[in-house]
Amino acid sequence: MPDPTPHDGFALHLAEAEMAATQSLPAAAAMLREQVGPLISLVDFEGANVYSASDRAMKAFGLYKETVGRRQKDIARVVEETAEALRDIVNVYKRVDGQV
C-alpha cells in the first residue's frame, strides 16, 4: 500500500466531517428532541387532599421539567445549526478541491 498523500488525508478528514454534518449531528439533535415531549408531559401529582408542601413541590417540579425541556430544545437547535455550518464548510472545501 502506498504512503498516503496530503490529498488523501484531506479527503479522509473531509469525508469524516461530512458524515458528522449529515448523519451524526442530525441524529444527535433528533434524539435530544425526541426526549422533550416525554419529559415535559411527565405525570403531575394531583389529588383531592393536596397539601401546601406538595403544592410547592409540584410547582417547582413543573418549572424544572419545563426548563429542562426548553434547554434540550435549544441544545438540539444548536446541534442542528452546527451540522448545517459543517455541511457548508465541507461543500466549500469540496469546491476548492475540485470534488464538486
Side-chain angles (χ1 to χ4, degrees), residues 66-87:
E66 289 173 18
T67 300
V68 171
R70 186 172 45 254
R71 287 181 181 169
Q72 197 146 330
K73 285 179 186 179
D74 290 343
I75 292 167
R77 179 186 48 77
V78 169
V79 169
E80 286 176 334
E81 289 172 357
T82 302
E84 184 179 341
L86 187 54
R87 282 191 301 270

Side-chain angles (χ1 to χ4, degrees), residues 44 52-66:
D44 289 324
S52 62
S54 64
D55 285 347
R56 290 191 305 273
M58 291 308 102
K59 286 179 185 177
F61 177 71
L63 291 173
Y64 169 76
K65 68 180 186 174
E66 289 173 18

Side-chain angles (χ1 to χ4, degrees), residues 9-90:
F10 176 78
L12 177 64
H13 294 298
L14 191 58
E16 291 172 359
E18 186 170 31
M19 187 183 314
T22 61
Q23 295 175 23
S24 304
L25 289 171
M31 286 174 27
L32 286 166
R33 192 168 279 111
E34 286 172 7
Q35 300 306 312
V36 172
L39 173 70
I40 62 175
S41 67
L42 289 172
V43 175
D44 289 324
F45 299 97
E46 296 179 12
N49 297 320
V50 178
Y51 300 100
S52 62
S54 64
D55 285 347
R56 290 191 305 273
M58 291 308 102
K59 286 179 185 177
F61 177 71
L63 291 173
Y64 169 76
K65 68 180 186 174
E66 289 173 18
T67 300
V68 171
R70 186 172 45 254
R71 287 181 181 169
Q72 197 146 330
K73 285 179 186 179
D74 290 343
I75 292 167
R77 179 186 48 77
V78 169
V79 169
E80 286 176 334
E81 289 172 357
T82 302
E84 184 179 341
L86 187 54
R87 282 191 301 270
D88 291 343
I89 291 167
V90 166

